Amino acid sequence: MQKMSLNGIWDFQFLEGEHSEEEYLNLSFSEMALVPGCFDADSEYFSRRGIGVYRRKFRAAGDSRIEFQGLLLRASVYVDRKKVGGTVHALHPFSVNLHFSEQEEEHELLVVVDSTYDERDSSLFHSFYDFYAYSGICRPVFLRSIPKKNILERVCITVTDLDAGEIKIRVVRSHPENQPQKAECFIDGIPMGSISLKGENFTAKFIVPNPRQWSPENPVLHTFRIQTEDDSIETAFGLRVIDWKNGILSLNGHPLKLVGYNRHDSHPNFGYAMPDSMVYADLCRIRRQGCNFIRGSHYEQSEFFLTACDRLGLLVWEEPLAWGNRESNVLDPQFCERQISQTAEMIRRDYNHPCILLWGFMNELDSHLESARPLIRRLVDTVHAEDPTRPATFATNKRKSDVCLDLVDVISLNLYPGWADEPSPVSGLPSVEPTLQEMSDFISGSSLCHKPYIISEIGASAIRGDCSGVRWSEEYQAELIEIAVLHALRNPRCSGISLWQFCDTKTYIQGRARARPRGFNDKGLLDEYRRPKLAWRKMTEIMRKFQEEKRSKEQP
């Protein structure tokens, strides 16, 4: 399928209040906006909720597809004044299929982006979420020409024998003919012969020439290409296997010790439309520090992010959009179906990225209630059905009262001793180590003992420049981080830790903002402009010593 970028400067108009479809279609545009971009980031529209209307012209012929890699909060799509699709899934890729005449002509694309909150239980983005809802077409848009039949939708690659370099490919087609379709296959550019595709799903096995395993220490990628008479797909993949047996999370047969960060893909000047160069700089900074893990919180990550992690050797936890959802949400049938569908589609789309270690979902929901179990069970079943090679998890802050931990493969604990746990019998920094050990002992001594566990969130807020040594200071944050990271590194039962968070991020503007100075979640080890706090320097020192000790143990 031929691909053309629709990124660039579009006509734009911001509207407040209610408007009809007819008004959108007959709108007089007086502004322009960049795609990808967030129209309310670093602009006069910041904190204003309304409608952003985007328009541009494009040329196309025959069967085509417009692919949106992500926007928010919701959108409707019009082509030549007719509604052709839309989405209610923020930061979730979607596409619309179009049928034009065989002669190339000019067409008009109109995208109506709604940034107002939908507070119904079925909604996927609520105003209480602890990250700011920047709005706009924040990720790239592409136009593809597609064949009329036998469309190659995707290829899923699974390692079946790591040592031998054996892989199984599954080719998914849409609108296949009854007759078999011949396809040529290539691995790393080397011809692997032809196969005869039959039906909507076709599988075959290959041995990778000169196979090399993928790992954080050696992130080697191979490529697979399949080509028919009128269509082709090429994808990168890595030779690696994940296990989660007997309380140990391992990669290629070696136990893992995950150390890294929760990271929002946002910036105060760009919102969720961070330039690729800035995203890459973040990832390189994490890798240089000696970390190997990123939790993409709390929404699906961009294709560029995942591809860069593949290349850099950063392991990733990916999860679809959710945060702190309540019982009324998990009891809403439409909310549940949306969670299931976005999880399944995320896995299908990102299956081949070797960097992805964990599939997550539903951060900090009301998992202490029995009413949460049906949705969690369905989400775990969805992960296993779509990808039995990776474990399923969700981050809980309910500790021992959580009634859903038996359903997941890996237990993930959001713990905030020394910060959010007050008042408690032991307060401040002295509470950190006992709390972490208590949870480790609880898991090891219960029916959950066969499951690996990680500390999925932990941290404390710090205002950059506050050197008072007490709460909200850089010193307090650095001390807490040191205690937590050393516990995770020294505890053989703990598979890892992801600190909350990589950098400060914009969050509530009103209401709960009184608990968030400057309207930011200030738990970043860097501030929002990536300037280091004392905790970042402390973390760098810890990781340097950890790597030195690791190398000395590996030497004969």
Side-chain angles (χ1 to χ4, degrees):
M1 290 185 281
Q2 294 182 335
K3 175 179 173 180
M4 181 182 75
S5 172
L6 294 181
N7 301 330
I9 299 175
W10 293 38
D11 295 329
F12 178 78
Q13 197 67 44
F14 180 76
L15 304 172
E16 292 179 301
E18 295 186 3
H19 297 269
S20 67
E21 182 179 85
E22 190 67 21
E23 288 178 281
Y24 300 140
L25 296 176
N26 294 291
L27 193 61
S28 296
F29 290 83
S30 60
E31 302 177 61
M32 292 182 289
L34 186 65
V35 173
C38 290
F39 63 77
D40 59 348
D42 197 25
S43 78
E44 62 181 296
Y45 301 123
F46 180 72
S47 80
R48 293 168 63 182
R49 296 285 144 192
I51 306 294
V53 186
Y54 293 80
R55 183 184 68 180
R56 68 156 292 159
K57 306 285 187 179
F58 67 97
R59 298 187 66 83
D63 291 343
S64 303
R65 177 182 295 165
I66 299 178
E67 298 177 346
F68 296 85
Q69 292 196 358
L71 52 75
L72 66 174
L73 297 175
R74 302 172 299 281
S76 298
V77 180
Y78 300 83
V79 172
D80 297 335
R81 300 178 61 83
K82 294 181 180 178
K83 186 174 181 178
V84 295
T87 186
V88 296
H89 295 262
L91 293 165
H92 179 77
F94 75 101
S95 62
V96 294
N97 290 331
L98 305 166
H99 305 282
F100 299 121
S101 67
E102 294 304 315
Q103 184 175 353
E104 185 178 280
E105 296 176 330
E106 186 175 75
H107 302 276
E108 181 185 83
L109 171 61
L110 192 77
V111 183
V112 180
V113 177
D114 189 346
S115 75
T116 60
Y117 286 117
D118 178 357
E119 300 293 11
R120 291 175 293 183
D121 288 329
S122 60
S123 175
L124 293 176
F125 206 127
H126 292 272
S127 60
F128 62 78
Y129 285 14
D130 192 7
F131 44 99
Y132 184 74
Y134 292 104
S135 299
I137 306 175
C138 58
R139 290 179 180 165
V141 183
F142 296 100
L143 173 69
R144 291 183 186 267
S145 60
I146 58 177
K148 292 183 179 297
K149 52 193 175 183
N150 289 314
I151 301 170
L152 299 177
E153 292 291 353
R154 65 183 186 276
V155 176
C156 301
I157 300 175
T158 303
V159 178
T160 51
D161 188 324
L162 182 64
D163 293 331
E166 182 184 75
I167 61 171
K168 179 179 72 175
I169 68 154
R170 181 166 65 91
V171 184
V172 180
R173 299 189 298 163
S174 59
H175 312 300
E177 291 184 312
N178 293 328
Q179 295 296 324
Q181 184 184 24
K182 183 179 179 181
E184 301 294 331
C185 298
F186 305 83
I187 296 180
D188 297 335
I190 300 172
M192 303 300 293
S194 62
I195 56 177
S196 182
L197 300 177
K198 301 175 184 178
E200 294 184 5
N201 287 269
F202 178 85
T203 61
K205 287 188 176 182
F206 294 94
I207 298 294
V208 177
N210 305 312
R212 292 183 293 169
Q213 296 181 12
W214 185 98
S215 68
E217 296 77 22
N218 192 32
V220 178
L221 294 173
H222 296 279
T223 60
F224 180 85
R225 178 178 175 82
I226 183 170
Q227 184 171 333
T228 64
E229 182 179 356
D230 53 5
D231 205 357
S232 67
I233 291 179
E234 181 168 302
T235 182
F237 67 96
L239 293 172
R240 58 101 185 95
V241 293
I242 302 164
D243 287 310
W244 53 96
K245 301 175 183 176
N246 302 318
I248 302 297
L249 188 61
S250 63
L251 183 74
N252 301 340
H254 302 289
L256 281 169
K257 183 68 77 171
L258 303 173
V259 186
Y261 295 92
N262 291 265
R263 177 185 173 275
H264 274 292
D265 198 29
S266 68
H267 187 279
N269 295 129
F270 304 100
Y272 299 114
M274 287 179 61
D276 289 347
S277 59
M278 190 172 289
V279 174
Y280 186 70
D282 282 356
L283 301 181
C284 288
R285 193 166 192 169
I286 292 170
R287 200 70 183 99
R288 283 196 305 270
Q289 194 180 54
C291 296
N292 61 0
F293 183 51
I294 298 178
R295 179 183 174 208
S297 48
H298 298 289
Y299 37 77
E300 295 163 68
Q301 300 300 295
S302 69
E303 177 66 21
F304 178 83
F305 171 92
L306 294 173
T307 299
C309 288
D310 288 340
R311 299 285 298 274
L312 290 168
L314 282 165
L315 294 164
V316 173
W317 162 337
E318 189 177 24
E319 62 190 24
L321 179 63
W323 190 88
N325 295 100
R326 302 156 180 169
E327 183 178 31
S328 59
N329 297 127
V330 302
L331 292 177
D332 185 278
Q334 192 172 40
F335 177 85
C336 294
E337 292 307 316
R338 288 173 175 177
Q339 287 295 332
I340 298 296
S341 65
Q342 69 176 1
T343 300
E345 290 167 13
M346 174 187 71
I347 296 172
R348 293 168 195 161
R349 184 187 67 249
D350 297 334
Y351 185 94
N352 292 336
H353 286 285
C355 68
I356 297 177
L357 175 73
L358 294 162
W359 297 119
F361 43 75
M362 299 300 299
N363 177 72
E364 294 185 356
L365 80 161
D366 279 350
S367 52
H368 61 301
L369 303 176
E370 286 290 333
S371 56
R373 286 183 63 84
L375 177 57
I376 294 298
R377 182 182 287 110
R378 288 187 64 195
L379 286 165
V380 172
D381 289 345
T382 298
V383 171
H384 291 166
E386 295 292 339
D387 182 6
T389 73
R390 292 181 176 98
T393 191
F394 72 94
T396 177
N397 61 349
K398 302 304 186 288
R399 298 194 184 184
K400 298 177 184 179
S401 65
D402 197 299
V403 298
C404 299
L405 296 181
D406 62 305
L407 301 176
V408 296
D409 302 311
V410 174
I411 296 172
S412 302
L413 305 173
N414 288 0
L415 304 170
Y416 287 94
W419 190 257
D421 288 358
E422 307 300 346
S424 65
V426 180
S427 62
L429 294 174
S431 70
V432 179
E433 176 64 30
T435 299
L436 299 182
Q437 191 59 51
E438 178 188 3
M439 290 307 301
S440 179
D441 293 342
F442 165 70
I443 294 168
S444 298
S446 71
S447 60
L448 305 172
C449 61
H450 62 290
K451 297 178 183 288
Y453 87 90
I454 63 176
I455 301 167
S456 43
E457 290 184 24
I458 193 168
S461 291
I463 303 296
R464 187 173 182 269
D466 183 340
C467 302
S468 64
V470 297
R471 279 173 167 269
W472 295 95
S473 71
E474 292 192 39
E475 290 90 347
Y476 187 92
Q477 181 193 45
E479 286 189 65
L480 190 151
I481 292 298
E482 181 178 20
I483 296 169
V485 174
L486 290 179
H487 170 90
L489 292 176
R490 293 168 178 170
N491 185 349
R493 185 67 183 84
C494 180
S495 289
I497 185 170
S498 55
L499 301 175
W500 188 272
Q501 59 177 330
F502 172 66
C503 68
D504 295 345
T505 50
K506 178 62 73 175
T507 183
Y508 316 115
I509 301 300
Q510 298 172 334
R512 292 182 6 170
R514 62 183 178 273
R516 294 283 189 257
R518 308 183 303 127
F520 277 81
N521 187 318
D522 288 301
K523 293 185 181 68
L525 275 68
L526 308 173
D527 76 358
E528 63 271 26
Y529 295 106
R530 281 56 177 174
R531 296 174 297 189
K533 301 176 188 177
L534 183 60
W536 178 268
R537 298 185 177 94
K538 174 59 69 175
M539 183 66 176
T540 302
E541 177 186 328
I542 293 170
M543 293 309 299
R544 183 176 64 250
K545 291 181 179 178
F546 174 69
Q547 296 297 343
E548 289 173 354
E549 292 174 1
K550 185 178 178 181
R551 284 192 293 269
S552 65
K553 291 178 181 178
E554 293 173 349
Q555 292 176 355

Short mmCIF file of all heavy atoms in Angstrom, two decimals, residues 509-548:
data_model
loop_
_atom_site.label_atom_id
_atom_site.label_comp_id
_atom_site.label_asym_id
_atom_site.label_seq_id
_atom_site.Cartn_x
_atom_site.Cartn_y
_atom_site.Cartn_z
N ILE A 509 -6.20 21.78 36.43
CA ILE A 509 -6.18 23.25 36.36
C ILE A 509 -7.10 23.84 37.43
O ILE A 509 -6.84 24.88 37.99
CB ILE A 509 -6.62 23.73 34.97
CG1 ILE A 509 -5.69 23.14 33.91
CG2 ILE A 509 -6.61 25.25 34.90
CD1 ILE A 509 -4.23 23.55 34.09
N GLN A 510 -8.18 23.12 37.72
CA GLN A 510 -9.13 23.59 38.71
C GLN A 510 -9.41 22.49 39.72
O GLN A 510 -8.92 21.36 39.59
CB GLN A 510 -10.44 24.02 38.02
CG GLN A 510 -10.25 25.18 37.05
CD GLN A 510 -11.49 25.46 36.25
OE1 GLN A 510 -12.32 24.59 36.05
NE2 GLN A 510 -11.63 26.70 35.80
N GLY A 511 -10.19 22.77 40.74
CA GLY A 511 -10.60 21.76 41.70
C GLY A 511 -9.42 21.17 42.45
O GLY A 511 -8.84 21.80 43.34
N ARG A 512 -9.02 19.96 42.09
CA ARG A 512 -7.96 19.25 42.79
C ARG A 512 -6.58 19.86 42.54
O ARG A 512 -5.58 19.38 43.06
CB ARG A 512 -7.97 17.78 42.38
CG ARG A 512 -9.22 17.12 42.90
CD ARG A 512 -9.42 15.66 42.64
NE ARG A 512 -8.37 14.90 42.03
CZ ARG A 512 -8.39 13.57 41.96
NH1 ARG A 512 -9.39 12.90 42.48
NH2 ARG A 512 -7.43 12.91 41.36
N ALA A 513 -6.51 20.92 41.76
CA ALA A 513 -5.22 21.59 41.53
C ALA A 513 -4.61 22.12 42.81
O ALA A 513 -3.39 22.36 42.87
CB ALA A 513 -5.40 22.73 40.52
N ARG A 514 -5.42 22.33 43.84
CA ARG A 514 -4.87 22.84 45.10
C ARG A 514 -3.87 21.86 45.72
O ARG A 514 -3.06 22.25 46.57
CB ARG A 514 -6.00 23.13 46.09
CG ARG A 514 -6.84 21.93 46.49
CD ARG A 514 -7.98 22.33 47.40
NE ARG A 514 -8.83 21.21 47.76
CZ ARG A 514 -9.86 20.80 47.04
NH1 ARG A 514 -10.17 21.44 45.92
NH2 ARG A 514 -10.60 19.77 47.42
N ALA A 515 -3.93 20.59 45.30
CA ALA A 515 -2.94 19.60 45.76
C ALA A 515 -1.80 19.45 44.77
O ALA A 515 -0.93 18.60 44.95
CB ALA A 515 -3.62 18.25 45.97
N ARG A 516 -1.80 20.28 43.73
CA ARG A 516 -0.78 20.21 42.69
C ARG A 516 -0.25 21.62 42.43
O ARG A 516 -0.76 22.34 41.58
CB ARG A 516 -1.38 19.65 41.40
CG ARG A 516 -1.84 18.19 41.50
CD ARG A 516 -0.65 17.25 41.46
NE ARG A 516 -1.05 15.87 41.33
CZ ARG A 516 -1.05 14.99 42.33
NH1 ARG A 516 -0.67 15.38 43.54
NH2 ARG A 516 -1.41 13.74 42.13
N PRO A 517 0.77 22.04 43.19
CA PRO A 517 1.32 23.38 42.98
C PRO A 517 1.69 23.61 41.52
O PRO A 517 2.22 22.72 40.86
CB PRO A 517 2.57 23.38 43.86
CG PRO A 517 2.27 22.38 44.93
CD PRO A 517 1.46 21.31 44.26
N ARG A 518 1.40 24.79 41.02
CA ARG A 518 1.65 25.20 39.64
C ARG A 518 0.77 24.46 38.64
O ARG A 518 0.90 24.63 37.42
CB ARG A 518 3.11 24.99 39.23
CG ARG A 518 4.15 25.61 40.16
CD ARG A 518 5.57 25.41 39.62
NE ARG A 518 5.88 24.02 39.42
CZ ARG A 518 6.34 23.51 38.28
NH1 ARG A 518 6.54 24.30 37.23
NH2 ARG A 518 6.63 22.22 38.17
N GLY A 519 -0.16 23.60 39.13
CA GLY A 519 -0.95 22.78 38.22
C GLY A 519 -0.14 21.66 37.60
O GLY A 519 -0.49 21.16 36.53
N PHE A 520 0.94 21.24 38.28
CA PHE A 520 1.80 20.17 37.79
C PHE A 520 1.85 19.04 38.79
O PHE A 520 1.76 19.25 40.00
CB PHE A 520 3.23 20.67 37.56
CG PHE A 520 3.43 21.35 36.24
CD1 PHE A 520 3.08 22.69 36.08
CD2 PHE A 520 3.98 20.68 35.17
CE1 PHE A 520 3.26 23.33 34.87
CE2 PHE A 520 4.17 21.31 33.95
CZ PHE A 520 3.81 22.63 33.80
N ASN A 521 2.00 17.83 38.28
CA ASN A 521 2.39 16.71 39.12
C ASN A 521 3.91 16.79 39.22
O ASN A 521 4.63 16.52 38.26
CB ASN A 521 1.97 15.38 38.48
CG ASN A 521 2.20 14.19 39.40
OD1 ASN A 521 3.23 14.11 40.06
ND2 ASN A 521 1.25 13.26 39.41
N ASP A 522 4.40 17.20 40.39
CA ASP A 522 5.81 17.54 40.57
C ASP A 522 6.67 16.37 41.05
O ASP A 522 7.74 16.59 41.62
CB ASP A 522 5.94 18.69 41.58
CG ASP A 522 5.48 20.00 40.99
OD1 ASP A 522 6.06 20.42 39.99
OD2 ASP A 522 4.54 20.60 41.54
N LYS A 523 6.22 15.15 40.81
CA LYS A 523 7.01 14.00 41.24
C LYS A 523 8.10 13.61 40.25
O LYS A 523 8.78 12.60 40.43
CB LYS A 523 6.10 12.80 41.52
CG LYS A 523 5.17 13.00 42.71
CD LYS A 523 4.38 11.74 43.01
CE LYS A 523 3.44 11.94 44.19
NZ LYS A 523 2.36 12.88 43.89
N GLY A 524 8.27 14.39 39.19
CA GLY A 524 9.33 14.09 38.23
C GLY A 524 10.71 14.24 38.84
O GLY A 524 10.95 15.11 39.67
N LEU A 525 11.64 13.37 38.39
CA LEU A 525 13.03 13.55 38.78
C LEU A 525 13.70 14.61 37.93
O LEU A 525 14.79 15.08 38.23
CB LEU A 525 13.80 12.23 38.67
CG LEU A 525 13.68 11.31 39.92
CD1 LEU A 525 12.27 10.76 40.06
CD2 LEU A 525 14.69 10.17 39.85
N LEU A 526 13.01 14.98 36.84
CA LEU A 526 13.33 16.16 36.05
C LEU A 526 12.11 17.08 36.09
O LEU A 526 10.99 16.61 36.28
CB LEU A 526 13.63 15.79 34.59
CG LEU A 526 14.67 14.70 34.31
CD1 LEU A 526 14.68 14.37 32.83
CD2 LEU A 526 16.05 15.13 34.76
N ASP A 527 12.31 18.37 35.89
CA ASP A 527 11.13 19.23 35.79
C ASP A 527 10.55 19.11 34.39
O ASP A 527 11.02 18.34 33.55
CB ASP A 527 11.45 20.67 36.20
CG ASP A 527 12.22 21.46 35.16
OD1 ASP A 527 12.57 20.91 34.08
OD2 ASP A 527 12.50 22.64 35.41
N GLU A 528 9.51 19.88 34.11
CA GLU A 528 8.81 19.73 32.83
C GLU A 528 9.67 20.07 31.62
O GLU A 528 9.40 19.63 30.50
CB GLU A 528 7.53 20.57 32.81
CG GLU A 528 7.75 22.07 32.93
CD GLU A 528 7.78 22.57 34.36
OE1 GLU A 528 8.11 21.80 35.28
OE2 GLU A 528 7.45 23.75 34.56
N TYR A 529 10.74 20.85 31.83
CA TYR A 529 11.66 21.20 30.74
C TYR A 529 12.92 20.33 30.77
O TYR A 529 13.92 20.66 30.16
CB TYR A 529 12.01 22.68 30.80
CG TYR A 529 10.82 23.57 30.54
CD1 TYR A 529 10.21 24.27 31.58
CD2 TYR A 529 10.26 23.66 29.27
CE1 TYR A 529 9.09 25.06 31.35
CE2 TYR A 529 9.15 24.44 29.04
CZ TYR A 529 8.56 25.14 30.08
OH TYR A 529 7.45 25.92 29.85
N ARG A 530 12.84 19.22 31.49
CA ARG A 530 13.90 18.21 31.56
C ARG A 530 15.15 18.71 32.27
O ARG A 530 16.25 18.26 32.01
CB ARG A 530 14.26 17.70 30.17
CG ARG A 530 13.33 16.66 29.56
CD ARG A 530 11.91 17.06 29.47
NE ARG A 530 11.09 16.04 28.80
CZ ARG A 530 9.77 16.11 28.68
NH1 ARG A 530 9.10 17.14 29.19
NH2 ARG A 530 9.11 15.14 28.08
N ARG A 531 14.98 19.64 33.20
CA ARG A 531 16.10 20.08 34.03
C ARG A 531 16.15 19.21 35.27
O ARG A 531 15.15 19.02 35.94
CB ARG A 531 15.93 21.56 34.40
CG ARG A 531 15.98 22.49 33.20
CD ARG A 531 15.66 23.93 33.58
NE ARG A 531 14.31 24.08 34.10
CZ ARG A 531 13.73 25.26 34.33
NH1 ARG A 531 14.40 26.39 34.10
NH2 ARG A 531 12.50 25.32 34.82
N PRO A 532 17.34 18.65 35.60
CA PRO A 532 17.42 17.65 36.66
C PRO A 532 17.23 18.22 38.06
O PRO A 532 17.67 19.33 38.37
CB PRO A 532 18.82 17.07 36.49
CG PRO A 532 19.60 18.17 35.84
CD PRO A 532 18.63 18.86 34.93
N LYS A 533 16.57 17.42 38.89
CA LYS A 533 16.51 17.68 40.32
C LYS A 533 17.58 16.81 41.00
O LYS A 533 18.21 15.95 40.37
CB LYS A 533 15.12 17.34 40.86
CG LYS A 533 13.98 18.11 40.20
CD LYS A 533 12.63 17.64 40.74
CE LYS A 533 11.47 18.24 39.96
NZ LYS A 533 10.16 17.75 40.41
N LEU A 534 17.74 17.00 42.29
CA LEU A 534 18.74 16.24 43.04
C LEU A 534 18.48 14.74 42.92
O LEU A 534 19.42 13.94 42.86
CB LEU A 534 18.72 16.66 44.51
CG LEU A 534 19.75 16.02 45.43
CD1 LEU A 534 21.17 16.32 44.97
CD2 LEU A 534 19.53 16.51 46.87
N ALA A 535 17.20 14.32 42.87
CA ALA A 535 16.86 12.90 42.79
C ALA A 535 17.38 12.28 41.50
O ALA A 535 17.75 11.10 41.48
CB ALA A 535 15.34 12.73 42.89
N TRP A 536 17.39 13.04 40.41
CA TRP A 536 17.93 12.51 39.14
C TRP A 536 19.42 12.21 39.29
O TRP A 536 19.90 11.16 38.86
CB TRP A 536 17.70 13.49 38.00
CG TRP A 536 18.27 13.00 36.69
CD1 TRP A 536 19.52 13.27 36.20
CD2 TRP A 536 17.64 12.14 35.76
NE1 TRP A 536 19.69 12.63 35.00
CE2 TRP A 536 18.56 11.93 34.70
CE3 TRP A 536 16.38 11.53 35.68
CZ2 TRP A 536 18.25 11.14 33.59
CZ3 TRP A 536 16.07 10.73 34.58
CH2 TRP A 536 17.00 10.54 33.56
N ARG A 537 20.13 13.12 39.93
CA ARG A 537 21.57 12.91 40.13
C ARG A 537 21.81 11.73 41.07
O ARG A 537 22.74 10.95 40.87
CB ARG A 537 22.21 14.19 40.66
CG ARG A 537 22.08 15.38 39.71
CD ARG A 537 22.82 16.60 40.22
NE ARG A 537 22.74 17.71 39.26
CZ ARG A 537 21.82 18.66 39.31
NH1 ARG A 537 20.92 18.66 40.26
NH2 ARG A 537 21.83 19.63 38.41
N LYS A 538 20.96 11.61 42.09
CA LYS A 538 21.08 10.48 43.01
C LYS A 538 20.82 9.16 42.28
O LYS A 538 21.52 8.17 42.47
CB LYS A 538 20.12 10.65 44.18
CG LYS A 538 20.06 9.47 45.14
CD LYS A 538 21.41 9.15 45.76
CE LYS A 538 21.86 10.21 46.72
NZ LYS A 538 23.12 9.82 47.41
N MET A 539 19.80 9.15 41.43
CA MET A 539 19.46 7.96 40.67
C MET A 539 20.62 7.58 39.73
O MET A 539 20.94 6.39 39.57
CB MET A 539 18.18 8.20 39.87
CG MET A 539 17.69 7.00 39.11
SD MET A 539 17.16 5.66 40.18
CE MET A 539 16.54 4.50 38.96
N THR A 540 21.22 8.56 39.10
CA THR A 540 22.36 8.30 38.23
C THR A 540 23.51 7.66 39.00
O THR A 540 24.15 6.71 38.51
CB THR A 540 22.83 9.61 37.58
OG1 THR A 540 21.73 10.20 36.85
CG2 THR A 540 24.00 9.37 36.63
N GLU A 541 23.75 8.15 40.19
CA GLU A 541 24.81 7.59 41.04
C GLU A 541 24.48 6.14 41.43
O GLU A 541 25.37 5.26 41.39
CB GLU A 541 24.95 8.45 42.29
CG GLU A 541 25.96 7.96 43.30
CD GLU A 541 25.95 8.79 44.57
OE1 GLU A 541 25.68 10.01 44.48
OE2 GLU A 541 26.19 8.22 45.65
N ILE A 542 23.24 5.88 41.81
CA ILE A 542 22.83 4.52 42.19
C ILE A 542 23.01 3.55 41.03
O ILE A 542 23.55 2.44 41.20
CB ILE A 542 21.36 4.52 42.66
CG1 ILE A 542 21.21 5.29 43.98
CG2 ILE A 542 20.84 3.09 42.82
CD1 ILE A 542 19.76 5.54 44.38
N MET A 543 22.58 3.96 39.84
CA MET A 543 22.65 3.07 38.69
C MET A 543 24.10 2.84 38.26
O MET A 543 24.45 1.74 37.79
CB MET A 543 21.83 3.63 37.54
CG MET A 543 20.33 3.65 37.80
SD MET A 543 19.69 2.04 38.37
CE MET A 543 20.07 0.99 36.97
N ARG A 544 24.94 3.83 38.40
CA ARG A 544 26.36 3.64 38.06
C ARG A 544 26.98 2.58 38.97
O ARG A 544 27.68 1.67 38.51
CB ARG A 544 27.12 4.95 38.17
CG ARG A 544 28.59 4.83 37.74
CD ARG A 544 29.31 6.16 37.76
NE ARG A 544 29.40 6.72 39.10
CZ ARG A 544 28.72 7.80 39.50
NH1 ARG A 544 27.90 8.41 38.67
NH2 ARG A 544 28.85 8.24 40.74
N LYS A 545 26.72 2.67 40.27
CA LYS A 545 27.26 1.69 41.21
C LYS A 545 26.67 0.30 40.95
O LYS A 545 27.38 -0.72 41.03
CB LYS A 545 26.96 2.13 42.65
CG LYS A 545 27.73 3.36 43.09
CD LYS A 545 27.39 3.72 44.53
CE LYS A 545 28.18 4.95 44.99
NZ LYS A 545 27.82 5.34 46.39
N PHE A 546 25.37 0.26 40.64
CA PHE A 546 24.72 -1.02 40.36
C PHE A 546 25.33 -1.70 39.14
O PHE A 546 25.61 -2.91 39.15
CB PHE A 546 23.22 -0.80 40.14
CG PHE A 546 22.47 -2.03 39.70
CD1 PHE A 546 22.29 -3.09 40.57
CD2 PHE A 546 21.94 -2.11 38.42
CE1 PHE A 546 21.60 -4.24 40.16
CE2 PHE A 546 21.26 -3.25 38.00
CZ PHE A 546 21.08 -4.31 38.88
N GLN A 547 25.58 -0.93 38.09
CA GLN A 547 26.18 -1.50 36.88
C GLN A 547 27.61 -1.96 37.14
O GLN A 547 28.05 -3.00 36.62
CB GLN A 547 26.15 -0.47 35.74
CG GLN A 547 24.76 -0.05 35.29
CD GLN A 547 23.95 -1.19 34.70
OE1 GLN A 547 24.48 -2.22 34.33
NE2 GLN A 547 22.64 -1.01 34.61
N GLU A 548 28.35 -1.20 37.94
CA GLU A 548 29.73 -1.61 38.27
C GLU A 548 29.74 -2.91 39.04
O GLU A 548 30.56 -3.81 38.78
CB GLU A 548 30.41 -0.49 39.07
CG GLU A 548 30.73 0.76 38.25
CD GLU A 548 31.25 1.89 39.11
OE1 GLU A 548 31.25 1.73 40.36
OE2 GLU A 548 31.66 2.93 38.55
#
